[in-house]
Structure formats: structure tokens, C-alpha cells
């Protein structure tokens, strides 16, 4: 934070003025324009929906994991909080790790496919867990989930920006984030309603994890298709 402070006058103040003006003059089009911009670039909708789908298990983990550990796995509240802390700690490294992989592999879609598989595996694994599981196994699963379930955001937004027309990067990034946060709002409601109706946390987590797998056909061949259309 201190190292970025010299840039404050040149960058932050103009941005604050623009944001202040937009908040005062907010219109429904301020939401619709970013969403419409997602149709302006090659495969932007694909890359954007990947984020919305990956946000489903992410929201399920963050919102209900502690509750599930207590109500479903019989852990104490303090132990459940420790498991949650392990997941959050590993997510800090997960975002850096997946970004590093995307840079080294020179392929954001491939990295997102890895994250989608990891997200599905860890979330379905949580749904299959039982009170007989040792604590170390649950903590290991939570650490892996922190990387796979919560580490994809930066790579996904970078993919949206890469496929966006240069003059629309801010709009397309905003549109992709709108989809993600819409999922973050709706998933806990749907998850809680399902559990209230069925009393089955396990099935709710398995279904949440399955949504990650939908990302695979969306991402498969997306670079090859873009290169072919560009040539």
C-alpha cells in the first residue's frame, strides 16, 4: 500500500471523481452496458460464464463450510473455524500459484480447466465427507479447495480482458464481475433453500461441484477457435 501511494494523485483522484459522478447519476444502463459489452469480443461470453460457474462452488464453500463442519461432520465451532482459516490462507497462495501457472503455460484457459477440475473434485469431496474422516483429511481438503475453488479469479478476469476490444476492457471486466457477484448472491439462497427442503448438505455440495465441470466444454478449444477465426 505504501509503495503505491506516490501514484495516488495521478490515478486515484480522477477515478474517485468518475465513480462519484456515476454513483450520483446511476441508471439501469450502467448495469446493462457492461453486460452487453461481453458480446463485443471473441468468446467473451464463454470466458465470462466460466467465472459465473466457478463462483457457485466458491460461494458454497465460503458461506456454508463452517456450518457443514459443525452440523454435518460433528466438529466443534472452533475446529470448523480453524478449517475455514486454512482454506482462506491457502487461497492467498492459490491466486498467485494459478497466475504463475497461467504465465508459464501461456494459456489461461488451460489453467482455468485445471482449476475447474480441482474445484469439482474438492467440492464433491466435501459432499462425500463423513464424521468418520480424520481432521487432517478435512483440513487437507480445505487447503486444496482454497487453491482450486478460490484461486481462479485473477486468471479468469485476465482472460476476459485479453479477449476484449482494447477500448472496452473496463466495461467487459465489469460485466464479467457482475455475473460473478450475481452468482455469489444467488448461490447461498439456492443452497440454503435446498438444504432446508432436503436436509442434505452432501447433495448440495456435490451439485455445486458439478457446476464447475460445465466450464470444461466452454474452455475446450477456445484459443484454437480464436486463432482460427483471427487468421
Amino acid at each position: 500500500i505504501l509503495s503505491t501511494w506516490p501514484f495516488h494523485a495521478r490515478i486515484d483522484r480522477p477515478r474517485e471523481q468518475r465513480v462519484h459522478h456515476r454513483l450520483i447519476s446511476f441508471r439501469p444502463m450502467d448495469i446493462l452496458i457492461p453486460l452487453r459489452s461481453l458480446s463485443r469480443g471473441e468468446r467473451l461470453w464463454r470466458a465470462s460464464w466460466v467465472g459465473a460457474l466457478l463462483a457457485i462452488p466458491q460461494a458454497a464453500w465460503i458461506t456454508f463450510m463452517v456450518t457443514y463442519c459443525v452440523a454435518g461432520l460433528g466438529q466443534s465451532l472452533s475446529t470448523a473455524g480453524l478449517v475455514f482459516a486454512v482454506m482462506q490462507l491457502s487461497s492467498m497462495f492459490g491466486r498467485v500459484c494459478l497466475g504463475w501457472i497461467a504465465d508459464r503455460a501461456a494459456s489461461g484457459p488451460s489453467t482455468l480447466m485445471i482449476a475447474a477440475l480441482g474445484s469439482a473434485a474438492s467440492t464433491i469431496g466435501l459432499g462425500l465427507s463423513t464424521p468418520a474422516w480424520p481432521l487432517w483429511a478435512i483440513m487437507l481438503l480445505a487447503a486444496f479447495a482454497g487453491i482450486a475453488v478460490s484461486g481462479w479469479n485473477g486468471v479468469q478476469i485476465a482472460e476476459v480482458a485479453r479477449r476484449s476490444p482494447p477500448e472496452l476492457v473496463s466495461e467487459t471486466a465489469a460485466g464479467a464481475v457482475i455475473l460473478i457477484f450475481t452468482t455469489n448472491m444467488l448461490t447461498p439462497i439456492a443452497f440454503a433453500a435446498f438444504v432446508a427442503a432436503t436436509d442434505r448438505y452432501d447433495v448440495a455440495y456435490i451439485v455445486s461441484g458439478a457446476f464447475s465441470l460445465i466450464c470444461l466444454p466452454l474452455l475446450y478449444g477456445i484459443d484454437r477457435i480464436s486463432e482460427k477465426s483471427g487468421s
Side-chain angles (χ1 to χ4, degrees), residues 153-168:
N153 298 74
V155 177
Q156 188 262 338
I157 291 296
E159 276 301 299
V160 171
R162 185 167 71 89
R163 298 172 189 281
S164 171
E167 71 277 8
L168 292 176

Side-chain angles (χ1 to χ4, degrees), residues 31-32 34-39 43-56 58-59 152-153 156-157 160 171-187 218:
I31 298 295
L32 295 178
L35 292 176
R36 288 177 179 175
S37 71
L38 297 178
S39 63
R43 307 295 171 182
L44 263 175
W45 272 109
R46 277 196 184 194
S48 300
W49 276 110
V50 164
L53 290 167
L54 289 175
I56 294 174
Q58 184 183 61
W152 52 267
N153 298 74
Q156 188 262 338
I157 291 296
V160 171
E171 285 81 1
T172 56
V177 171
I178 288 171
L179 291 179
I180 292 171
F181 276 92
T182 300
T183 300
N184 284 334
M185 289 188 294
L186 295 179
T187 296
L218 290 176

Side-chain angles (χ1 to χ4, degrees), residues 121-216:
S122 57
T123 307
I124 293 172
L126 183 63
L128 296 176
S129 62
T130 69
W133 280 32
L135 178 59
W136 66 263
I138 296 182
M139 293 183 69
L140 186 62
L141 183 64
F144 178 71
I147 298 172
V149 175
S150 297
W152 52 267
N153 298 74
V155 177
Q156 188 262 338
I157 291 296
E159 276 301 299
V160 171
R162 185 167 71 89
R163 298 172 189 281
S164 171
E167 71 277 8
L168 292 176
V169 170
S170 61
E171 285 81 1
T172 56
V177 171
I178 288 171
L179 291 179
I180 292 171
F181 276 92
T182 300
T183 300
N184 284 334
M185 289 188 294
L186 295 179
T187 296
I189 297 172
F191 193 104
F194 181 86
V195 172
T198 65
D199 197 29
R200 295 294 300 270
Y201 279 96
D202 54 348
V203 176
Y205 271 114
I206 291 171
V207 172
S208 298
F211 276 102
S212 294
L213 298 177
I214 303 176
C215 297
L216 300 180

